[in-house]
Amino acid sequence: MGISSFLLIITFLILLFILSKPLGNLIARLIEGELPRRITNAETVLWRCCGLQKSGSHIKEMNWWQYVLTVIIFNMIGLLLLFTLLINQQHLPLNPQHFSGMQWDLAFNTAVSFVTNTNWQAYSGENSLSYLSQMAGLAVQNFLSAATGIAVAFALIRAFSRQGVTTLGNAWVDITRITLYLLLPLAIIIAIILASQGVIQNFSPYVTVHTLEGYQQQLPMGPVASQEAIKLLGTNGGGFFGANSAHPFENPTATSNLVQMLAIFLIPCALCFTFGLVVGDNRQGYALLWVMSIIFIIAVAAVMYAEVAGNPHFIQSGVSSSINMEGKESRFGILASSLYTVVTTSASCGAVNNMHDSLTSLGGMVPLWLMQIGEVIFGGVGVGLYGMLLFVLLAVFIAGLMIGRAPEYLGKKIEVHEMKMVALAILVTPTLVLLGTALSVSFDAGRAAVTNPGAHGFTQILYAVTSAANNNGSAFAGLSANSLFYNLLLGIVMLLGRFGIIIPVLAIAGSMSSKKRQPISSGTLPTHTALFIGLLILVILLIGALTFVPALALGPIAEHLQLWQLSR
């Protein structure tokens, strides 16, 4: 088991790095606007019609607050349109099952979820949504919410590569180019690969079949492969079916399972290579990859160990093995399911190929903690990179205090304003998680949704609010969250968790872009060495431990101690 685990993790990471490196080079050219002339010529007409083109070939750029305003307005319009579509889908075409419109609170929750790249689903897709809602609503927002996160990362990367300017690019141009030249081509390729593995793609009505036992069963149909591709590539996570990637129509084979995991990490990993290229020092991108990879490997090993150790009550009951296969698909097994669990919760992706509610106590704690630290271990598209850079700035600041020197990163001084914004961005999600969990356990409406009281029930609530605040979207699957209380609470948490971080990140970008680079001296802290990599890992671990250990002690840790105490 040990050798198999090691080979699976290493093979996955090698394939990921091989695919990500050339993609990172292409994204770097996209950031710099180095596009073929035939593309820029075609764009010129569009930019001029939209009022974005200056005289000549230059595009009007935005300062940080204009960039923020554009991103927020764009996403709020998308939220309104998606909400309207969901509550009126019974009047619209491509609804062969004649599904009615969503209740307003569920429609609000769903619209917020997909606009914020969370894709939390308090419903079962095959029983609730028409094909039009899935495609024109959810799939479109899968593209646009992913493009928004990458665009914010573009702005921050430019801030570190530029000096003495106040502009960060143009949000409209960035979102358009990311969607057309990055997400759409990759999504088409991945959709074709998934369809070749048996993922369905059609507009047929649901099929009624007769089972061997003599019963009738309805098999849902739909354009699944196309939505799966962007769901994974954009680290969105909302499944076409309620069972998500555990459903054989979404994830039928071991090959499709591997492709899905690679798709989730592909852009977040590529952006690390991009960062090194654009700032002019590849070692900076490699350092971020080392940090992400080390924590990722440890997390995967921990989940694999916990699931293989399983439940001690099995052995007491006369079962020959305690390995925990509950909630997992036999076509994937323990190791691939554990790897998928860590991939999806390391990234800001809610896709699951097993039920996290059925994980062991410690096996469930690891993905929960990975979300709580901000999903910076590769993380979501764009989100993972700028989230990690927040921790980098914090680590540089701490190191500067330790050696008595003004902190610098990439030749730019880190001052009071930047640290205030870093602190604000890092504290947003812990505040939302802890406050949202406290509210949920304090009201009858929050406690009523718990299906398993005690430590496990507390973990269900903590996991749901953590998933919403960090825009992940995965669930423990044991919380009855489709209620007015949770639809509104989690919807608000998702909105604040998304834009409460984007705003300070872009404020940091605006400040850093205007600074001049300082020449490197003997007193400059190298931010690409093993020492700094270790410091950065320590900072990430300490922030997570100091913030969430008390809450984890009440949930998965308490459950683990109870389980093993009772087994003695």
Side-chain angles (χ1 to χ4, degrees), residues 12-34:
F12 172 75
L13 287 176
I14 290 174
L15 288 173
L16 176 66
F17 295 152
I18 291 174
L19 295 171
S20 299
K21 184 65 169 69
L23 181 60
N25 297 341
L26 291 175
I27 296 175
R29 297 181 63 185
L30 196 60
I31 291 178
E32 301 290 357
E34 298 175 358

Side-chain angles (χ1 to χ4, degrees), residues 126-143:
E126 67 267 40
N127 298 320
S128 305
L129 294 178
S130 68
Y131 295 162
L132 183 68
S133 295
Q134 292 275 16
M135 295 186 302
L138 306 190
V140 167
Q141 284 304 320
N142 282 348
F143 278 97

Side-chain angles (χ1 to χ4, degrees), residues 96-97 131 202-207 219-221:
Q97 300 307 118
Y131 295 162
N202 57 55
F203 294 100
S204 304
Y206 290 7
V207 177
L219 297 181
M221 297 284 108

Side-chain angles (χ1 to χ4, degrees), residues 409-428:
Y409 183 57
L410 300 178
K412 297 192 174 186
K413 290 187 180 296
I414 312 300
E415 298 176 306
V416 174
H417 173 72
E418 289 79 42
M419 289 314 303
K420 286 181 179 178
M421 293 298 104
V422 168
L424 177 62
I426 290 178
L427 290 174
V428 165

Side-chain angles (χ1 to χ4, degrees), residues 159-166 407-415 418 509-520:
F160 285 113
S161 63
R162 296 178 176 183
Q163 54 180 330
V165 298
T166 59
E408 296 178 4
Y409 183 57
L410 300 178
K412 297 192 174 186
K413 290 187 180 296
I414 312 300
E415 298 176 306
E418 289 79 42
S511 176
M512 298 301 290
S513 66
S514 63
K515 294 177 184 260
K516 296 286 187 180
R517 283 195 175 186
Q518 305 296 319
I520 297 175

Side-chain angles (χ1 to χ4, degrees), residues 16 51 80 93 101 104-105 118 128 229 253 260 272 327 377 422 431 468 491 519 544 560:
L16 176 66
L80 179 61
W104 74 268
D105 57 313
T118 309
S128 305
T253 68
Q260 290 195 8
C272 293
I377 310 308
V422 168
T431 301
H560 173 77

Side-chain angles (χ1 to χ4, degrees), residues 142 227-233 235-239 244-245 250 349 351:
N142 282 348
Q227 185 160 321
E228 279 295 291
I230 188 58
K231 148 195 162 178
L232 301 159
L233 184 67
T235 60
N236 294 285
N244 211 284
S245 288
E250 283 196 25
C349 186

